[in-house]
Amino acid sequence: MKNNARKYVLDILVDIEKNNAFSNIAINRALKGKDIPNLDRRFISELVYGVLENKIYLDFIIGTFSKMKMKKINVKVLNILRMGLYQIIYLDKIPEFAAVDESVKLVKKVDYRSSGFVNGILRSFLRNKKDIKVPTMKEDKIKHLSITYSHPEWLVEKWMKEFGQDFTINLLKANNETPKLSVRTNTLKVTKEELIESFIKEDVKVFPDTFVKEAIHISHLGNIENMEIYQKGFFQIQDESSMLVAHVLAPKPGEFVIDVCAAPGGKTTHIAQLMKNNGKILARDIYNHKLKLINDNAKRLGIGMIKTEVFDAKELDESLLGKADKVLVDAPCSGLGIIRRKPELKYNKKPQDIEEISKLQLEILKNASKYVKKDGVLVYSTCTIEKEENMDIIKKFIKEHNDFEMVDVNDTLPSNLKSEEKFLQLYPNTYKTDGFFICKLRRNNG
């Protein structure tokens, strides 16, 4: 099956590159409904993410040995080369000759004329791999780190200026690590202990030691959606850092909560869970198909208090002014805190993207703030580590809205995440979570 598995990998990588698809969506789309053994599913996932995480380094090697300019290499052929090199360099279980042989077989299926080219590049690398010369730190720090850890130069340079050399190197390393898969216990249906027992019965490896009380880390599982305990709504896939948002919001049963950028609904359903499925949540997004995800998950989890609506958070809904006890703005962002999960993000973003999205974030926050009751709470969160999208937004907002004040989030955090700051900023290299920002604001009575 491995040979077919490599064809799946190729199709997924091409989909990501040509269509700017998210890796998780591209994988799900390619494998959905296919009868693929769990071992092959894991191999496909490992190879897709491995190539994406190391793409700049792999392309550096290809560029070293190819007489053809990178831009002229067919996208399928280029990705077969990346796949072959990744297997040779990083996958000890696959013999070098097998990686070359399977790459040549695969390229013959998609572009027969390029088989000699692929064979030549991979064999040249095997003969000369000790001679690969990446610029040293002394020669060019930015280039060295960019190639070694496969992050674009502009991003390495930005982080070096903001965080310093040691922190940046640790961050780059952490971004290339495989994150644990976190799930949230649906306490409306089961206890954490009962869910752990259910996973163990399914031969799933469980790591219950987590920051968030309802979180569990798991591994060694196949297609989650086929699991009976998933279909019964015993858990929801969600990173721990994302789970912290609902705890900071601290909703109470009977309250009215608005989630202005709700899809795909992980935080929305968690809020409902903390409210014990008692009260009202208005969950909005700009796409109908994304709201369907929220409705489907809510039904599976046994939640009946969420109302979904298509609505653009950039617009102001005057019918909701001053109506909500709690409002969540989980703002659209650059996503540079979740590179571990979506490594393609580091190649898709440009410096101007951060500037543009920060304007949108402030606009959404201003509108959402108008829905908050006097003495009500507004939480702003992002899955990025860029200050322009995080504290800079909060500072600008508070400067223009003196009826809001920051609330210390530490009272709602686990003891090992508490800090001297009133807000929470997580980095992949500090707590092995996604990079996440959470800030809490209260509307005062003035």
Side-chain angles (χ1 to χ4, degrees):
M1 176 66 188
K2 277 284 197 301
N3 198 21
N4 287 338
R6 288 182 176 88
K7 180 63 168 67
Y8 279 117
V9 173
L10 175 61
D11 292 342
I12 292 164
L13 289 172
V14 171
D15 184 22
I16 292 166
E17 189 153 348
K18 289 180 81 171
N19 304 316
N20 284 328
F22 286 131
S23 49
N24 59 328
I25 293 172
I27 290 171
N28 291 340
R29 186 160 51 215
L31 306 188
K32 194 173 180 68
K34 303 290 196 311
D35 185 21
I36 301 170
N38 287 342
L39 198 64
D40 283 327
R41 283 180 180 270
R42 285 200 286 271
F43 174 74
I44 289 166
S45 185
E46 182 179 7
L47 195 46
V48 168
Y49 284 113
V51 168
L52 290 174
E53 284 160 4
N54 297 280
K55 192 166 78 168
I56 290 176
Y57 178 58
L58 298 173
D59 284 359
F60 177 78
I61 294 171
I62 295 166
T64 301
F65 294 108
S66 174
K67 291 176 182 175
M68 189 188 302
K69 288 184 178 178
M70 295 289 288
K71 288 180 181 177
K72 291 191 175 181
I73 302 175
N74 174 286
V75 66
K76 289 184 178 180
V77 174
L78 182 57
N79 277 293
I80 290 169
L81 281 169
R82 289 167 178 161
M83 290 163 59
L85 285 170
Y86 180 80
Q87 290 169 82
I88 291 167
I89 298 166
Y90 298 101
L91 298 186
D92 295 336
K93 292 178 183 176
I94 297 176
E96 292 176 346
F97 73 87
V100 175
D101 190 42
E102 293 298 339
S103 299
V104 172
K105 282 181 186 174
L106 185 55
V107 79
K108 282 179 178 177
K109 290 180 181 179
V110 298
D111 186 352
Y112 193 90
R113 291 172 303 173
S114 297
S115 57
F117 175 67
V118 167
N119 186 53
I121 296 282
L122 295 180
R123 293 195 182 281
S124 292
F125 171 71
L126 287 174
R127 287 193 303 271
N128 304 289
K129 56 186 173 183
K130 290 181 181 176
D131 300 327
I132 297 290
K133 292 285 189 292
V134 174
T136 65
M137 285 288 279
K138 281 186 178 179
E139 290 167 344
D140 191 328
K141 280 183 185 179
I142 303 299
K143 218 174 214 39
H144 172 86
L145 295 174
S146 172
I147 296 168
T148 303
Y149 299 108
S150 286
H151 282 64
E153 289 184 23
W154 74 266
L155 197 52
V156 174
E157 192 170 4
K158 185 177 192 296
W159 288 348
M160 287 277 276
K161 286 176 184 173
E162 289 176 17
F163 304 130
Q165 183 173 301
D166 291 346
F167 189 95
T168 297
I169 291 172
N170 288 330
L171 176 58
L172 297 173
K173 285 179 182 176
N175 279 344
N176 285 347
E177 290 172 0
T178 303
K180 289 177 181 172
L181 180 62
S182 301
V183 300
R184 186 188 82 234
T185 309
N186 180 13
T187 50
L188 297 173
K189 291 193 173 188
V190 290
T191 65
K192 183 173 177 176
E193 291 69 31
E194 288 168 341
L195 182 58
I196 288 170
E197 282 180 25
S198 297
F199 276 129
I200 291 169
K201 283 178 185 173
E202 298 270 356
D203 294 324
V204 174
K205 201 167 182 182
V206 177
F207 309 89
D209 187 19
T210 53
F211 295 129
V212 182
K213 57 187 177 183
E214 58 267 56
I216 304 171
H217 296 311
I218 58 174
S219 67
H220 295 173
L221 74 168
N223 189 346
I224 285 181
E225 291 181 4
N226 287 344
M227 296 178 74
E228 188 181 357
I229 54 174
Y230 176 81
Q231 292 168 353
K232 284 184 173 180
F234 287 4
F235 68 92
Q236 173 69 23
I237 300 165
Q238 189 179 11
D239 188 69
E240 267 199 283
S241 53
S242 175
M243 293 182 215
L244 291 167
V245 174
H247 283 291
V248 170
L249 187 69
K252 295 181 176 61
E255 289 186 331
F256 174 38
V257 178
I258 303 175
D259 188 348
V260 300
C261 303
K267 298 174 191 69
T268 318
T269 53
H270 192 195
I271 292 166
Q273 184 177 316
L274 296 182
M275 294 171 72
K276 305 189 188 310
N277 200 23
N278 175 10
K280 182 184 173 187
I281 298 174
L282 178 59
R284 289 176 154 181
D285 208 90
I286 55 175
Y287 297 112
N288 241 323
H289 69 276
K290 288 191 173 182
L291 291 175
K292 185 180 182 299
L293 290 173
I294 301 175
N295 290 324
D296 290 348
N297 274 323
K299 186 177 179 182
R300 181 178 58 82
L301 297 167
I303 294 165
M305 59 178 288
I306 299 171
K307 180 186 177 185
T308 56
E309 280 183 355
V310 173
F311 194 86
D312 190 341
K314 288 188 295 181
E315 306 298 325
L316 180 66
D317 184 348
E318 296 197 358
S319 70
L320 292 174
L321 299 181
K323 296 281 180 69
D325 298 290
K326 308 269 167 71
V327 174
L328 173 60
V329 178
D330 185 48
C333 68
S334 64
L336 293 174
I338 55 170
I339 287 172
R340 301 182 314 155
R341 298 188 188 280
K342 296 178 180 175
E344 67 279 1
L345 286 170
K346 58 186 173 180
Y347 312 117
N348 296 345
K349 301 298 176 185
K350 301 287 183 290
Q352 58 268 30
D353 294 339
I354 294 172
E355 187 181 335
E356 286 171 18
I357 205 156
S358 63
K359 292 174 186 172
L360 174 63
Q361 290 161 340
L362 185 57
E363 190 179 354
I364 290 173
L365 184 59
K366 285 177 181 179
N367 282 335
S369 70
K370 294 180 172 64
Y371 306 144
V372 183
K373 284 180 179 176
K374 295 285 175 68
D375 211 32
V377 165
L378 174 63
V379 166
Y380 176 84
S381 63
T382 70
C383 55
T384 189
I385 59 175
E386 304 308 309
K387 63 181 177 58
E388 298 95 323
E389 302 177 69
N390 295 334
M391 264 320 288
D392 285 2
I393 297 290
I394 298 300
K395 286 174 183 174
K396 286 175 186 173
F397 174 78
I398 290 177
K399 192 176 179 182
E400 296 176 21
H401 297 78
N402 56 14
D403 55 336
F404 278 86
E405 60 183 355
M406 274 183 69
V407 180
D408 194 336
V409 301
N410 286 289
D411 293 343
T412 54
L413 297 179
S415 57
N416 44 2
L417 292 183
K418 293 181 189 295
S419 72
E420 293 178 6
E421 302 288 359
K422 284 187 173 182
F423 59 89
L424 177 67
Q425 176 69 73
L426 296 173
Y427 298 92
N429 54 313
T430 53
Y431 292 105
K432 305 299 179 189
T433 64
D434 288 346
F436 229 88
F437 176 80
I438 309 172
C439 183
K440 190 172 186 174
L441 302 163
R442 179 177 286 116
R443 187 172 192 177
N444 57 48
N445 286 309

